[in-house]
Amino acid sequence: MHFVTLTQSSSLTTVHTYLSGNDGTLPVALGRAVEVPACADLSYLSLCLSADCKDGIYFFGGNNVLARRATAGLSANHSFTFNNNVKTDPRSSIFQIQYFRTSVAHRDEVVTVKTPAFAESVTEGDVRWEKAVGDTVSEDEVVCEIETDKTSVQVPSPAAGVIEELLVPDGGKVEGGTPLFKLRKGAGAPKAAESLKTETPAAAAPPPPSAATPPPSPPLPSAGGPIPTTMPPVPPVPAHAIDTKPVSAMKPTAAPAASVGQAEGAAKAARTESRVKMNRMRLRIAQRLKEAQNTCAMLTTFNEVDMSNISEMRKTYKDVFLKKHNIKLGFMSAFVKAAAYALAEQPAVNAVIDDTTKEIVYRDYVDISVAVATPKGLVVPVIRNVEEMNFADIEKAINLLGEKARKNELAVEDMDGGTFTISNGGVFGSMFGTPIINPPQSAILGMHGIFDRPVALGGKVEIRPMMYVALTYDHRLIDGREAVTFLRKIKSVVEDPRVMLLDM
């Protein structure tokens, strides 16, 4: 344990620093005493032994350094800080003895970074390293990603330093709390400075300017002997006569054909294939889709939606909508709100079968999952309580979840739950398709591209922007009548939103 004594006279305050062992040994003085003006404010005292502080004891009065005294017998791996209001005794010139403990220096400290805790529905993940041993990292820089069944969890560096050791191989499985890597704090900055110092002189030192260009040095004789003074012998002329036909009269030989054949053969031989291990998210997607096929009695019903009215509404109000809500008005909000309206009328589509208890679970809320394609796979973040939202709220929620998905910042909580799914393949130009149910849900709506098609209206043929929609449902729970009625309700609401406003 370290402690100091402060002795005050009329003009000076003398500081004595001592080190006392925990085993009851006598205190040992650390260096010479330090004298500072008696009027100095010693409310903050620091024993600083790092390289930045120029090893010694510092006394601070306010924000100014009042004195420094080099210490002896202290290890440079420790720093001591004393922060307290010094109280005087009017009957004595000796201040109170203040005790303080040492703290281990953070410079060059090696810490072990562990796997962060996962959500309740996730038990393990696969590690994908972004850094290697010896790499310098800054604070909060991503060192690795842990791919789980639903999303990727980034593991940042807790401080600036150098990667000392990787404790898990690339692709290895980890659970919450598993040690991942060792980091040496603060080790990167000195190394970078040293490398900069060593590289700067070499790069900055220009070649010495010469007053005059030196004359070219004479050629040195070869190691084999003196330079030859005669020309080498000319090779003999062949005995047969040389053909002097013009180039145009010469017949092509088979050599070019052979070379072309060799090139083609080399091109065919260059065809290769590579194998890439499926990541955990792709494996989970494959497992869940196959599970849906094996469990659900899937059936798909179709319809088409005339997008004329909703397109006209969007065209009319998109600028005002953007100005007021600071977000663009799209078609997705219309379909999400129409689905929530239709689900309220057809609760079976919003329900699910509990295969464990053999019960049907009906929900009085609507949480709609929106399928989003990312480079790592398909994710389905959830918009919750859609029945209470308007178009602006839905657009903001979709935009927020889409941004998080593209930046790989979706949490497991963002994708948990969901009572119904909407997949919009129209953004990729899809014209028609049959979506697969997202278990444990019971139905999914597939949107497709908008294309101008001839439509018979009132005995006349008109060109209208049309969209095919598909509803895939679990026939174990949802009958055909309920499925068709549900899809027709979505069609009527999108074609004329006044139906929803009038509750028709």
Side-chain angles (χ1 to χ4, degrees):
M1 177 179 293
H2 297 80
F3 63 90
V4 295
T5 61
L6 307 180
T7 306
Q8 187 181 46
S9 65
S10 60
S11 60
L12 293 175
T13 298
T14 304
V15 182
H16 301 271
T17 311
Y18 299 93
L19 171 64
S20 177
N22 295 328
D23 54 355
T25 56
L26 294 176
V28 179
L30 300 178
R32 299 171 57 188
V34 178
E35 295 179 347
V36 295
C39 60
D41 177 15
L42 298 183
S43 60
Y44 186 85
L45 179 150
S46 177
L47 301 180
C48 185
L49 298 170
S50 66
D52 297 334
C53 295
K54 308 298 182 185
D55 298 352
I57 306 177
Y58 284 77
F59 303 94
F60 295 87
N63 294 326
N64 299 320
V65 178
L66 301 179
R68 185 184 81 83
R69 175 70 65 186
T71 58
L74 286 181
S75 169
N77 289 333
H78 293 74
S79 62
F80 317 99
T81 302
F82 167 78
N83 188 0
N84 202 345
N85 292 326
V86 181
K87 302 176 181 178
T88 61
D89 186 349
R91 298 170 296 178
S92 173
S93 61
I94 299 179
F95 282 67
Q96 286 181 307
I97 297 177
Q98 302 288 342
Y99 296 90
F100 56 95
R101 292 185 178 276
T102 63
S103 60
V104 179
H106 293 289
R107 183 168 60 88
D108 289 342
E109 179 186 1
V110 178
V111 296
T112 301
V113 180
K114 297 182 179 181
T115 305
F118 296 139
E120 294 181 359
S121 58
V122 177
T123 57
E124 62 181 12
D126 295 339
V127 177
R128 293 288 180 267
W129 291 106
E130 302 288 340
K131 301 294 181 180
V133 175
D135 287 353
T136 301
V137 294
S138 58
E139 187 175 358
D140 294 331
E141 185 176 357
V142 176
V143 178
C144 67
E145 283 190 358
I146 301 177
E147 295 180 350
T148 65
D149 296 343
K150 297 184 178 181
T151 185
S152 295
V153 180
Q154 294 182 340
V155 180
S157 174
V162 174
I163 304 297
E164 188 82 2
E165 182 182 359
L166 302 181
L167 305 178
V168 179
D170 188 61
K173 295 182 179 181
V174 293
E175 298 178 353
T178 303
L180 286 173
F181 63 94
K182 292 184 178 180
L183 175 73
R184 183 174 294 277
K185 290 185 178 180
K191 291 184 179 179
E194 292 176 3
S195 62
L196 184 61
K197 289 180 181 179
T198 55
E199 292 176 2
T200 302
S210 57
T213 305
S217 58
L220 298 176
S222 62
I227 300 175
T229 56
T230 60
M231 294 294 293
V234 179
V237 180
H240 60 275
I242 300 177
D243 193 356
T244 58
K245 292 182 180 179
V247 176
S248 58
M250 295 183 180
K251 295 182 179 181
T253 61
S259 62
V260 172
Q262 292 176 358
E264 292 178 355
K268 291 182 179 179
R271 298 198 313 162
T272 60
E273 62 180 22
S274 60
R275 293 176 178 263
V276 179
K277 184 179 179 181
M278 293 177 68
N279 59 44
R280 183 175 287 270
M281 185 182 296
R282 175 55 59 186
L283 286 171
R284 182 59 176 166
I285 291 172
Q287 178 185 351
R288 286 175 61 85
L289 293 179
K290 194 60 183 176
E291 176 185 337
Q293 282 188 328
N294 296 337
T295 304
C296 301
M298 289 192 293
L299 186 62
T300 305
T301 184
F302 305 93
N303 215 314
E304 58 182 359
V305 180
D306 187 346
M307 302 292 291
S308 300
N309 289 338
I310 197 71
S311 298
E312 186 66 25
M313 184 187 77
R314 179 175 179 267
K315 181 179 179 181
T316 303
Y317 297 105
K318 64 178 182 179
D319 295 334
V320 180
F321 189 89
L322 177 62
K323 184 177 180 180
K324 181 176 181 179
H325 301 289
N326 197 28
I327 195 169
K328 293 181 179 180
L329 176 62
F331 295 119
M332 197 68 185
S333 55
F335 278 89
V336 171
K337 190 61 180 178
Y341 184 72
L343 287 169
E345 290 194 358
Q346 299 294 333
V349 184
N350 200 44
V352 65
I353 296 177
D354 188 342
D355 292 316
T356 304
T357 60
K358 306 303 179 183
E359 296 174 339
I360 300 176
V361 182
Y362 290 94
R363 289 92 162 230
D364 58 356
Y365 57 89
V366 177
D367 293 346
I368 295 184
S369 305
V370 179
V372 179
T374 67
K376 293 188 176 181
L378 187 71
V379 295
V380 280
V382 181
I383 307 174
R384 307 190 188 278
N385 299 320
V386 181
E387 73 279 4
E388 301 175 358
M389 303 173 73
N390 56 28
F391 279 40
D393 296 333
I394 295 172
E395 289 290 351
K396 292 177 182 178
I398 293 174
N399 184 70
L400 176 62
L401 293 172
E403 283 294 323
K404 293 176 70 174
R406 282 186 288 272
K407 294 179 181 179
N408 197 26
E409 296 176 353
L410 280 176
V412 177
E413 293 78 11
D414 295 327
M415 294 177 286
D416 271 347
T419 61
F420 184 76
T421 297
I422 297 179
S423 175
N424 185 8
V427 295
F428 306 110
S430 170
M431 181 178 180
F432 209 77
T434 57
I436 299 179
I437 293 174
N438 178 26
Q441 299 173 11
S442 300
I444 179 173
L445 175 68
M447 298 169 53
H448 300 93
I450 302 173
F451 301 99
D452 288 340
R453 293 201 303 271
V455 181
L457 295 173
K460 297 181 181 179
V461 177
E462 295 185 13
I463 304 299
R464 294 292 184 96
M466 305 297 292
M467 175 194 290
Y468 287 119
V469 289
L471 177 71
T472 300
Y473 57 96
D474 188 353
H475 211 342
R476 299 179 304 164
L477 174 63
I478 304 170
D479 296 330
R481 177 181 61 86
E482 295 169 329
V484 173
T485 304
F486 173 83
L487 195 56
R488 284 178 58 86
K489 178 60 69 175
I490 289 179
K491 169 184 168 68
S492 63
V493 171
V494 174
E495 289 183 343
D496 189 359
R498 292 174 297 181
V499 172
M500 182 170 54
L501 297 177
L502 298 174
D503 194 16
M504 298 174 60

